[in-house]
Amino acid sequence: MPECVFCAIAAGEAAATRVLETARTVAFRDINPQAPSHVLVIPKAHHRDVAALAEVDGGLLAEVLAQAHAVAQADGIARTGYRVVFNTGNHAGQTVPHVHAHVLGGKRMGWPPWPPA
Ligand code: 5GP
Ligand code: ZN
């Protein structure tokens, strides 16, 4: 099994509740949801964070963002609104070093976003 937990989920070697999948991305429910709808969208390829992904494959980053909106539509939160968050590095509280978009919605959210209300 790969050492990276999100690589393992992408490969189907670790369990996750999948919402959507494309050739190059997977969306699955966060194990510790911070909102009624909380889904993570990842590229199947391993990149450390959104900055690293933007540098080497902007097209794949665009696919991740398109999937974030597709997830919002599938979960019925596209019209009411949702938040897309890429925690990046230590001060942002990034705990999994495989780039992931948090898609959060289903309730009115406060500001600042983290820690979530
Ligand atoms: P970060 O803090 O890095 O931005 O977000 C990592 C997110 O991944 C957290 O919200 C955490 O709950 C979630 N997470 C960590 N490990 C797993 C896992 O094995 N499965 C799922 N579905 N979510 C995970
Ligand atoms: Zn990985």
Side-chain angles (χ1 to χ4, degrees), residues 5-6 28-32 40 87 93-96 100 102:
V5 61
F6 286 179
F28 53 94
R29 299 209 181 276
D30 195 292
I31 204 167
N32 183 25
L40 303 175
N87 288 327
Q94 184 180 358
T95 57
V96 178
H100 49 280
H102 294 260

Side-chain angles (χ1 to χ4, degrees), residues 3-116:
E3 278 182 32
C4 170
V5 61
F6 286 179
C7 281
I9 287 172
E13 294 168 3
T17 304
R18 289 173 180 238
V19 179
L20 292 176
E21 180 168 2
T22 65
R24 297 211 291 168
T25 70
V26 187
F28 53 94
R29 299 209 181 276
D30 195 292
I31 204 167
N32 183 25
Q34 303 299 319
S37 177
H38 187 173
V39 173
L40 303 175
V41 183
I42 63 168
K44 293 178 180 175
H46 183 91
H47 299 276
R48 184 185 69 250
D49 58 26
V50 69
L53 177 57
E55 197 167 307
V56 302
D57 196 343
L60 182 53
L61 174 54
E63 285 184 38
V64 169
L65 286 168
Q67 283 309 108
H69 184 60
V71 161
Q73 288 179 315
D75 259 12
I77 58 171
R79 199 175 49 79
T80 46
Y82 59 96
R83 187 169 277 161
V84 179
V85 176
F86 289 93
N87 288 327
T88 306
N90 186 30
H91 278 192
Q94 184 180 358
T95 57
V96 178
H98 179 133
V99 57
H100 49 280
H102 294 260
V103 182
L104 297 143
K107 69 172 184 180
R108 185 173 295 280
M109 282 169 282
W111 188 265
W114 300 92

